[in-house]
Structure formats: structure tokens, C-alpha cells
Amino acid sequence: MSTGTTGKADPAGQPPDDQAAAARRREQHGWYFYDFACSVYSTSVLTVFLGPYLTSIAKTAADPDGFVHPLGIPVRAGSLFAYSVSASIVVAVVLMPIVGAAADRTGRKKPLLAAAAYTGAAATAGMFFLDGHRYLLGAFLLIVANASISVSMVLYNAYLPQIAGPEERDAVSSRGWAFGYTSGAVVLVLNLILYTGHESFGLAESDAVRICLASAGVWWGAFTLVPLRRLRDHRIPPSGEGAVGSGWQQLRATLRDMRRHPLTLSFLLAYLVYNDGIQTVISQASLYGSEELGLDQTTLIVAVLLVQILAVAGALGMGRLARTYGAKRTILGSLVIWTLILISAYLLPADAPGFFFVLAAAIGLVLGGSQALSRSLFSHLVPRGKEAEYFSAYELSDRGLSWLGPLVFGLAYQLTGSYRDAIISLIVFFALGAVLLARVPVRRAVEAAGNPVPERI
């Protein structure tokens, strides 16, 4: 008589396989909610409100020549926001590899995620106190919040290969992006209602902006409780000893380890190139709309909201396409669409908000899917036990190295005096990125990383 227990139900009558599936779904639902929590920072704070508001505070505090003097260094008031973002990237570059390696060595991603998330949320909520001449406080809070979200995303992304099997990873990653864009759109609508109707609420314009900034931090902190309750630490013995040292030393160690997986490194290079193009289009679209197309601020804000809303459908729709055609082919298709978007932007007539909205809709439809499928595809190429460490390099490509695109855009404008020439110059990132991605044999790359190969990839 057999004494095996395979398939035997527990006392509650639920088979062990069903229990495992339910636990995995619970973790996936919790994982989605971190994107839901933190995306409002990127949308409402970084994209819409903080740049103009911090610049206005700096200009108020500036000397007659238009300079502020943090730590005795003369800085043009209009450059403070850009410099602060750059400084936050430097801080993130140092911290991300250290935190990623620590998470892999200890297997305790959740406490580190909590620390990064609540540091960023607290800094964002603290922006309520930005008024008068407090530009230094604003710069400091921006650096802390922006570095914190980068660090937290390393840990967040590293959960993906642990909570989703190879066949479902594209869909899970796409749903995460969709959750993020949904929250970004919801909070942006609420903030715009407050901002545009501040007088009816008895608020000054600056008070409305400070509430919008702080509310993003409160939202971030509140909804982070969901993933912290549902995610579990998965201790997986690493395939090798992680290097200990400074951020640069750890990054070098990670890249040295990647040399043993050259196909993974090849994908990361392709992603670095085409993602730099994506990030530059997003960051410069408002400038192009206002300076070249003569559009007002209301039109630009509505366009940002349209991108957020349609990015939800885009992320989910491209996730479905990936199940049929594979993530690599779907990403390559999206890069073709990005190229067509740039050509359309170059040809777009001035003072035509309707056409600009069509362009924003197209960006929204490919933005979320491009990012979601890139993340899920990379997750297949990461050796087991190296998730956080490798995703620190991935996040560095996403956030820390997206400087070449803006430089090309700026140089093109400086040499030609035309934003149209500047926007069309970005095609090189999508063309080169597509060529590099097409050359990556992803099935062989997955096998080389020691992971199971999905039916469609």
C-alpha cells in the first residue's frame, strides 16, 4: 500500500499545488501595488509640479544676476532643478549596486524595500514645507526622493522572477505597469482639480502645489503597506559570492559577473540605447510642445494625463501581443512605432493641439508596453540568486544612464536652432537599439542564464 502524499489535500481540503498557486497570486497582487504606490511621484511630482515650483522658489531667492549660491557655489536659478536631478542620479548610482548585492546575499529584500520606499515617501511628503526661499530644502528633498525611488525599484523588479513563472512573466510585468499608470492618472486628475480650482478651495496657488506634492508622498507611503504585507522574502543561495565595497566597486563586480553571461549583457546594452530614446522623448515632449508648437500649459498637462491613461491599455495590450508573438518581437514592433512618432512630431504643425493629442495617445499606447516587456524579458536572462544585483544594473540603465539622449537633443538644438531637428535626431536611439536587440538570441540567452525557456519569448 502506498504511503505517498503527493496531491493530498490539507485539512482545509485544498491541494498543495492550489495552495502554492494561491500564494503566488497573492504575492503578485501585492507586487502590483508597489507600482500603484510610487508611480504618483514620477507623474505628479517629477513630471508636472516640482520642476516649475522649485525653479520659482529659486528665482525668488536669487541675487540680482539670477544666481543662487548653495554651499557658496553660484548656480543659475533656472538650472537648480536639473542639477538636483543629476545629483540624485549620482547618489542612486552609488546606492543601487550596494543595496542590490545586499538583498541577494541576505535574501531579505522586503526590509530594504520598506526602508527605500518610506525614505522617499517621507521626503516627498516633506515638500509641503517648500515655500519662501527654501530652495535648498527643495533640492535636498528632491535628491533624497529621486534616489530612493531608484533604489526601491531595484528591489521591486528583483521580485518578478520569484513570483511569476517564465510563461506568465510578460503578463505580470505588464499588469504592474498598468497599475502604476492607473494610479498616476487618478492622482493627477485629483491634483489638477485642486490646482485649477484652488481659489474655490480658499487656497493660494503655491498652497495647492504644496498639497499636490505632499499628497504624492502620502499616497506612496500608504499603498506601500500592501506589498509589504503580501510579498515574502525568498532566500535563494547565490551562485557566487557578492562583492563588498563602494557602489562603483559593486557595479564593476556585477558587470564582471555579467561577462560570464555575454548575451544578458548584450540585451542590457540594447535596452540602454532604446530606453535612452524613450526617456528623452518623455522628458522633452513638453518643451517641444511649448517652444516649437506654441501650446499652452493646460494643453500640455492634458496631454500628460492622456499618456497616463492610454499607457494602461498599452501595457496590457502589448502584454497580450507578447503571448502570441513573443516579447522580443513585440518590443521590436514598438520601436518601429516610436520611430514613426518622432517622424510625425517633426512634421506636426504649430498651434494644433488636436494633432498633439493624437501624438500623445500614440506615445501612451507604446510607452507602458515597451517598458513592461523589457523588464520581463530581462528577468528571464538573470541567473538565479543574482536578481537584485542584476536588476540594480538594469535600473541603472533605466534611470542612471539616461543622459546621452538629452545631450544629443540639446546639441542638435544648439547647432541648428530648431527643436524639430532636435526631436528627429533621437531616431538614432530607436534604430540602433532595434538593431542591437534583433541581434540578441534570446532563447540561447535564457538557457545560458540557467533558466527555463518559455514557449514564446
Side-chain angles (χ1 to χ4, degrees):
M1 184 175 66
S2 174
T3 59
T5 58
T6 302
K8 183 178 179 180
D10 69 354
Q14 190 177 34
D17 288 348
D18 290 347
Q19 292 181 47
R24 188 170 67 250
R25 285 194 299 271
R26 176 181 171 83
E27 283 197 271
Q28 289 172 0
H29 293 158
W31 186 79
Y32 301 149
F33 266 93
Y34 188 68
D35 229 327
F36 190 85
C38 71
S39 290
V40 299
Y41 167 81
S42 300
T43 304
S44 291
V45 176
L46 205 59
T47 303
V48 177
F49 289 110
L50 185 57
Y53 185 63
L54 182 58
T55 300
S56 69
I57 292 176
K59 287 182 176 179
T60 300
D63 62 21
D65 295 323
F67 287 85
V68 291
H69 300 269
L71 306 177
I73 302 171
V75 173
R76 192 174 294 279
S79 300
L80 180 70
F81 178 73
Y83 288 152
S84 300
V85 172
S86 297
S88 73
I89 292 173
V90 173
V91 174
V93 164
V94 173
L95 291 178
M96 285 191 292
I98 296 175
V99 173
D104 284 334
R105 285 196 302 270
T106 65
R108 302 192 65 196
K109 296 180 180 65
K110 191 157 69 170
L112 294 170
L113 176 62
Y118 282 107
T119 299
T124 306
M127 293 176 186
F128 178 79
F129 300 102
L130 297 183
D131 58 5
H133 294 69
R134 295 178 177 174
Y135 71 91
L136 273 178
L137 176 63
F140 172 75
L141 293 175
L142 169 57
I143 291 169
V144 172
N146 219 38
S148 295
I149 196 170
S150 295
V151 171
S152 72
M153 291 303 291
V154 169
L155 301 161
Y156 168 71
N157 287 335
Y159 271 102
L160 179 58
Q162 298 177 355
I163 64 171
E167 301 295 342
E168 61 180 342
R169 212 166 286 170
D170 290 341
V172 170
S173 181
S174 296
R175 290 189 200 112
W177 280 106
F179 265 62
Y181 284 117
T182 299
S183 72
V186 168
V187 174
L188 187 56
V189 167
L190 295 175
N191 286 344
L192 287 178
I193 291 172
L194 177 64
Y195 176 72
T196 56
H198 62 270
E199 292 182 352
S200 62
F201 292 105
L203 298 171
E205 182 179 353
S206 61
D207 294 333
V209 171
R210 292 189 298 118
I211 291 173
C212 290
L213 294 171
S215 66
V218 173
W219 181 285
W220 185 358
F223 283 100
T224 294
L225 292 172
V226 179
L228 293 181
R229 286 179 62 87
R230 295 196 171 190
L231 290 173
R232 296 182 295 113
D233 282 326
H234 298 253
R235 183 64 188 267
I236 298 177
S239 57
E241 290 297 322
V244 181
S246 71
W248 288 106
Q249 289 172 331
Q250 181 57 66
L251 178 61
R252 285 196 296 269
T254 301
L255 294 177
R256 281 198 302 270
D257 186 76
M258 279 187 173
R259 289 169 63 183
R260 298 191 296 110
H261 303 281
L263 298 180
T264 300
L265 196 58
S266 296
F267 171 79
L268 195 61
L269 176 61
Y271 174 73
L272 188 155
V273 173
Y274 70 73
N275 182 65
D276 204 351
I278 292 173
Q279 297 301 324
T280 306
V281 172
I282 298 304
S283 65
Q284 304 302 319
S286 292
L287 178 64
Y288 184 76
S290 60
E291 297 297 323
E292 184 66 36
L293 304 181
L295 303 175
D296 58 33
Q297 185 66 30
T298 301
T299 299
L300 297 176
I301 292 175
V302 172
V304 171
L305 182 59
L306 184 62
V307 169
Q308 292 294 120
I309 294 171
L310 291 180
V312 177
L316 296 176
M318 287 182 64
R320 290 181 178 275
L321 287 174
R323 289 202 292 270
T324 302
Y325 301 103
K328 177 182 172 180
R329 289 183 179 179
T330 306
I331 295 170
L332 287 171
S334 77
L335 298 182
V336 173
I337 296 174
W338 277 108
T339 302
L340 295 175
I341 287 172
L342 291 179
I343 294 173
S344 300
Y346 177 81
L347 300 173
L348 207 63
D351 298 316
F355 288 111
F356 191 73
F357 289 146
V358 171
L359 206 62
I363 289 174
L365 289 174
V366 292
L367 174 61
S370 303
Q371 295 171 319
L373 293 179
S374 297
R375 177 173 63 186
S376 63
L377 182 54
F378 182 70
S379 73
H380 292 287
L381 311 182
V382 177
R384 282 174 61 83
K386 293 280 188 178
E387 290 86 3
E389 188 177 338
Y390 271 54
F391 266 110
S392 69
Y394 178 86
E395 190 67 17
L396 193 62
S397 299
D398 188 15
R399 296 174 183 270
L401 296 179
S402 296
W403 55 268
L404 184 58
L407 178 62
V408 169
F409 185 91
L411 287 175
Y413 177 75
Q414 181 174 331
L415 293 173
T416 67
S418 167
Y419 282 110
R420 293 186 186 273
D421 292 338
I423 202 74
I424 203 69
S425 70
L426 300 178
I427 282 182
V428 66
F429 291 94
F430 297 103
L432 179 58
V435 170
L436 292 173
L437 178 59
R439 292 170 60 87
V440 179
V442 291
R443 286 188 172 275
R444 194 145 51 87
V446 176
E447 292 173 349
N451 295 322
V453 182
E455 182 180 351
R456 294 285 185 183
I457 192 170

